[in-house]
Amino acid sequence: QVQLVESGGGLVQAGDSLRLSCAASGRTFSSYTMGWFRQAPGKEREFVAAISWSGGTTKYADSVKGRFTISRDNAKNTVYLQMNSLKPEDTAIYYCAAVRYGITCLRPTEYDYWGQGTQVTVSS
């Protein structure tokens, strides 16, 4: 069982940066592939970024590639999402997710554990 708690969301202006954090419970964090998803009002939850359990492989949605960076610190049981050059269309609730030894991990259904989400609002 893994419990995930996101933090770091907030209200920013277009062009600003934010860093989201997701703290995980448990002693097997290093065996979990971690992902970030987001959901805007009236829209489906969409993939943002993922990082393999080793940290050696990362994947990004085309809409955030070059602006967002996912990373992890297995010693701290934490995964991060550094978001730069934020745009109003990045406004959403951002969720952290985990799946043990996940492989492709681009779809919400591939993840077993979810956090409660953190709101990111980008004003123009």
Side-chain angles (χ1 to χ4, degrees), residues 35-117:
W36 284 99
F37 289 76
R38 66 187 182 187
Q39 188 165 18
K43 295 188 176 182
E44 293 187 351
R45 192 168 297 190
E46 64 173 359
F47 171 76
V48 175
I51 187 166
S52 62
W53 63 90
S54 67
T57 301
T58 57
K59 298 176 184 177
Y60 297 93
D62 288 343
S63 59
V64 306
K65 205 170 291 183
R67 298 188 299 123
F68 291 10
T69 302
I70 189 171
S71 62
R72 66 189 299 157
D73 185 338
N74 286 344
K76 295 183 178 180
N77 279 18
T78 301
V79 63
Y80 305 98
L81 185 68
Q82 178 67 42
M83 305 185 296
N84 298 332
S85 302
L86 282 162
K87 304 175 181 180
E89 51 263 44
D90 294 319
T91 295
I93 299 174
Y94 282 71
Y95 297 91
C96 172
V99 58
R100 198 165 191 194
Y101 296 127
I103 301 298
T104 53
C105 303
L106 304 182
R107 294 184 295 271
T109 53
E110 295 180 278
Y111 289 83
D112 295 321
Y113 303 101
W114 292 85
Q116 82 290 347

